[in-house]
Amino acid sequence: MLSTGLSSVYSGFSTAAGIAGNIFAFVLFVSPLPTFKRIIRNKSTEQFSGLPYIYALLNCLICLWYGMPVVKTGIILVATVNSFGAVFQLVYLSIFITYAERATKLRMLGLLGAVAVIFAFVVFMSLGVLEYDDRQTFVGYLSVASLISMFASPLFIIKLVIKTRSVEFMPFNLSFATFLMSLSFSAYGIFKEDPFLYIPNGIGTILGLVQLALYSYYRKISGEDPRESLIVSYV
């Protein structure tokens, strides 16, 4: 009876961590909205790059696939958050391509096609070639590689803050949401005993802490109000 009760509490904490991660991720997913309102208003992509949204889409698709029961059972909250993320990225990319110049438009369509081909290959390998255990390992390693590659964004921002000694392009709310999301999914991965979740998100948690520490330090020095972030990261 006691064992059943502890198991229920453990499961409750696990679900709570996953739901919290979904909520904090949603905050990150909507953070580029001001940028795209500006693009629509000006009917131009100006100097904005669409590449972060291509990378984010591929990351969301791979992590979505890893969270599907056919690949790994019991982590459906990973699939839900990344399904929302994939939809947001597709909407952002659609807007970007609509208002981009012809050369940029064609390049972005080509990259979007490449993402579709890569994801189709991952699905084919998973279902057509690999057995369940190998499938889980294959997609798990891909998801870790994808998540770690996304850390280029916070690392770039950290480098920029140290170089300029300014938090101008590191909004506190975005950094805090990134930290909380990574922390939540680290906990979710620990509860699920899944290193493919807690290792990359643990790294993200550490980077989030570094960002918050730098914000606190340089905010006091510069006394500036941060502007819109240069790059939005999706972990």
mmCIF file of all heavy atoms in Angstrom, residues 57-58 61 109-123:
data_model
loop_
_atom_site.group_PDB
_atom_site.id
_atom_site.type_symbol
_atom_site.label_atom_id
_atom_site.label_comp_id
_atom_site.label_asym_id
_atom_site.label_seq_id
_atom_site.Cartn_x
_atom_site.Cartn_y
_atom_site.Cartn_z
ATOM 1 N N LEU A 57 12.518 24.182 -36.024
ATOM 2 C CA LEU A 57 11.534 23.248 -36.567
ATOM 3 C C LEU A 57 12.094 21.836 -36.600
ATOM 4 O O LEU A 57 11.427 20.875 -36.179
ATOM 5 C CB LEU A 57 11.126 23.683 -37.979
ATOM 6 C CG LEU A 57 10.189 22.710 -38.728
ATOM 7 C CD1 LEU A 57 8.877 22.538 -37.978
ATOM 8 C CD2 LEU A 57 9.943 23.199 -40.156
ATOM 9 N N LEU A 58 13.324 21.682 -37.081
ATOM 10 C CA LEU A 58 13.936 20.354 -37.132
ATOM 11 C C LEU A 58 14.094 19.780 -35.725
ATOM 12 O O LEU A 58 13.813 18.602 -35.489
ATOM 13 C CB LEU A 58 15.298 20.433 -37.824
ATOM 14 C CG LEU A 58 16.057 19.098 -37.982
ATOM 15 C CD1 LEU A 58 15.227 18.102 -38.781
ATOM 16 C CD2 LEU A 58 17.408 19.327 -38.645
ATOM 17 N N LEU A 61 10.666 18.634 -34.466
ATOM 18 C CA LEU A 61 10.198 17.417 -35.135
ATOM 19 C C LEU A 61 10.912 16.172 -34.596
ATOM 20 O O LEU A 61 10.275 15.141 -34.344
ATOM 21 C CB LEU A 61 10.405 17.536 -36.649
ATOM 22 C CG LEU A 61 9.492 18.520 -37.379
ATOM 23 C CD1 LEU A 61 9.903 18.640 -38.845
ATOM 24 C CD2 LEU A 61 8.025 18.083 -37.278
ATOM 25 N N LEU A 109 12.621 27.948 -48.833
ATOM 26 C CA LEU A 109 11.807 26.811 -49.289
ATOM 27 C C LEU A 109 12.669 25.566 -49.462
ATOM 28 O O LEU A 109 12.247 24.453 -49.141
ATOM 29 C CB LEU A 109 11.097 27.170 -50.597
ATOM 30 C CG LEU A 109 9.920 28.150 -50.468
ATOM 31 C CD1 LEU A 109 9.440 28.583 -51.857
ATOM 32 C CD2 LEU A 109 8.764 27.509 -49.692
ATOM 33 N N GLY A 110 13.892 25.771 -49.985
ATOM 34 C CA GLY A 110 14.818 24.648 -50.125
ATOM 35 C C GLY A 110 15.196 24.056 -48.777
ATOM 36 O O GLY A 110 15.235 22.824 -48.608
ATOM 37 N N LEU A 111 15.455 24.912 -47.795
ATOM 38 C CA LEU A 111 15.803 24.445 -46.451
ATOM 39 C C LEU A 111 14.621 23.746 -45.788
ATOM 40 O O LEU A 111 14.792 22.740 -45.088
ATOM 41 C CB LEU A 111 16.268 25.622 -45.590
ATOM 42 C CG LEU A 111 17.618 26.225 -45.968
ATOM 43 C CD1 LEU A 111 17.874 27.501 -45.175
ATOM 44 C CD2 LEU A 111 18.740 25.219 -45.712
ATOM 45 N N LEU A 112 13.434 24.266 -46.035
ATOM 46 C CA LEU A 112 12.235 23.642 -45.489
ATOM 47 C C LEU A 112 12.045 22.241 -46.085
ATOM 48 O O LEU A 112 11.682 21.289 -45.378
ATOM 49 C CB LEU A 112 11.012 24.521 -45.788
ATOM 50 C CG LEU A 112 9.751 24.307 -44.952
ATOM 51 C CD1 LEU A 112 10.063 24.435 -43.465
ATOM 52 C CD2 LEU A 112 8.683 25.303 -45.358
ATOM 53 N N GLY A 113 12.327 22.117 -47.386
ATOM 54 C CA GLY A 113 12.272 20.810 -48.036
ATOM 55 C C GLY A 113 13.316 19.864 -47.466
ATOM 56 O O GLY A 113 13.049 18.663 -47.271
ATOM 57 N N ALA A 114 14.505 20.383 -47.159
ATOM 58 C CA ALA A 114 15.572 19.562 -46.570
ATOM 59 C C ALA A 114 15.156 19.045 -45.200
ATOM 60 O O ALA A 114 15.428 17.885 -44.854
ATOM 61 C CB ALA A 114 16.857 20.372 -46.470
ATOM 62 N N VAL A 115 14.490 19.891 -44.404
ATOM 63 C CA VAL A 115 13.992 19.467 -43.089
ATOM 64 C C VAL A 115 12.994 18.323 -43.248
ATOM 65 O O VAL A 115 13.046 17.328 -42.508
ATOM 66 C CB VAL A 115 13.336 20.652 -42.342
ATOM 67 C CG1 VAL A 115 12.550 20.159 -41.126
ATOM 68 C CG2 VAL A 115 14.377 21.660 -41.920
ATOM 69 N N ALA A 116 12.096 18.446 -44.241
ATOM 70 C CA ALA A 116 11.106 17.397 -44.480
ATOM 71 C C ALA A 116 11.780 16.082 -44.878
ATOM 72 O O ALA A 116 11.388 15.006 -44.408
ATOM 73 C CB ALA A 116 10.130 17.848 -45.564
ATOM 74 N N VAL A 117 12.809 16.163 -45.720
ATOM 75 C CA VAL A 117 13.531 14.964 -46.156
ATOM 76 C C VAL A 117 14.254 14.308 -44.982
ATOM 77 O O VAL A 117 14.207 13.078 -44.804
ATOM 78 C CB VAL A 117 14.527 15.305 -47.286
ATOM 79 C CG1 VAL A 117 15.448 14.123 -47.562
ATOM 80 C CG2 VAL A 117 13.768 15.701 -48.549
ATOM 81 N N ILE A 118 14.932 15.115 -44.168
ATOM 82 C CA ILE A 118 15.658 14.587 -43.013
ATOM 83 C C ILE A 118 14.707 13.902 -42.040
ATOM 84 O O ILE A 118 14.967 12.783 -41.563
ATOM 85 C CB ILE A 118 16.433 15.712 -42.294
ATOM 86 C CG1 ILE A 118 17.567 16.218 -43.185
ATOM 87 C CG2 ILE A 118 16.997 15.219 -40.952
ATOM 88 C CD1 ILE A 118 18.242 17.468 -42.642
ATOM 89 N N PHE A 119 13.584 14.556 -41.769
ATOM 90 C CA PHE A 119 12.628 13.974 -40.825
ATOM 91 C C PHE A 119 12.014 12.693 -41.381
ATOM 92 O O PHE A 119 11.834 11.708 -40.653
ATOM 93 C CB PHE A 119 11.530 14.988 -40.497
ATOM 94 C CG PHE A 119 10.535 14.481 -39.486
ATOM 95 C CD1 PHE A 119 10.958 14.126 -38.212
ATOM 96 C CD2 PHE A 119 9.200 14.365 -39.810
ATOM 97 C CE1 PHE A 119 10.044 13.655 -37.276
ATOM 98 C CE2 PHE A 119 8.278 13.901 -38.881
ATOM 99 C CZ PHE A 119 8.702 13.548 -37.607
ATOM 100 N N ALA A 120 11.716 12.681 -42.687
ATOM 101 C CA ALA A 120 11.174 11.482 -43.318
ATOM 102 C C ALA A 120 12.173 10.330 -43.232
ATOM 103 O O ALA A 120 11.799 9.171 -42.996
ATOM 104 C CB ALA A 120 10.814 11.772 -44.774
ATOM 105 N N PHE A 121 13.461 10.640 -43.388
ATOM 106 C CA PHE A 121 14.503 9.615 -43.285
ATOM 107 C C PHE A 121 14.574 9.053 -41.865
ATOM 108 O O PHE A 121 14.711 7.834 -41.679
ATOM 109 C CB PHE A 121 15.859 10.214 -43.673
ATOM 110 C CG PHE A 121 17.017 9.271 -43.475
ATOM 111 C CD1 PHE A 121 17.239 8.228 -44.360
ATOM 112 C CD2 PHE A 121 17.871 9.423 -42.397
ATOM 113 C CE1 PHE A 121 18.299 7.348 -44.178
ATOM 114 C CE2 PHE A 121 18.936 8.560 -42.199
ATOM 115 C CZ PHE A 121 19.149 7.514 -43.090
ATOM 116 N N VAL A 122 14.467 9.936 -40.873
ATOM 117 C CA VAL A 122 14.491 9.496 -39.472
ATOM 118 C C VAL A 122 13.314 8.568 -39.188
ATOM 119 O O VAL A 122 13.462 7.515 -38.546
ATOM 120 C CB VAL A 122 14.467 10.705 -38.518
ATOM 121 C CG1 VAL A 122 14.279 10.254 -37.070
ATOM 122 C CG2 VAL A 122 15.752 11.515 -38.648
ATOM 123 N N VAL A 123 12.138 8.942 -39.666
ATOM 124 C CA VAL A 123 10.943 8.109 -39.464
ATOM 125 C C VAL A 123 11.089 6.769 -40.176
ATOM 126 O O VAL A 123 10.779 5.709 -39.616
ATOM 127 C CB VAL A 123 9.677 8.845 -39.965
ATOM 128 C CG1 VAL A 123 8.464 7.915 -39.930
ATOM 129 C CG2 VAL A 123 9.413 10.088 -39.126
#
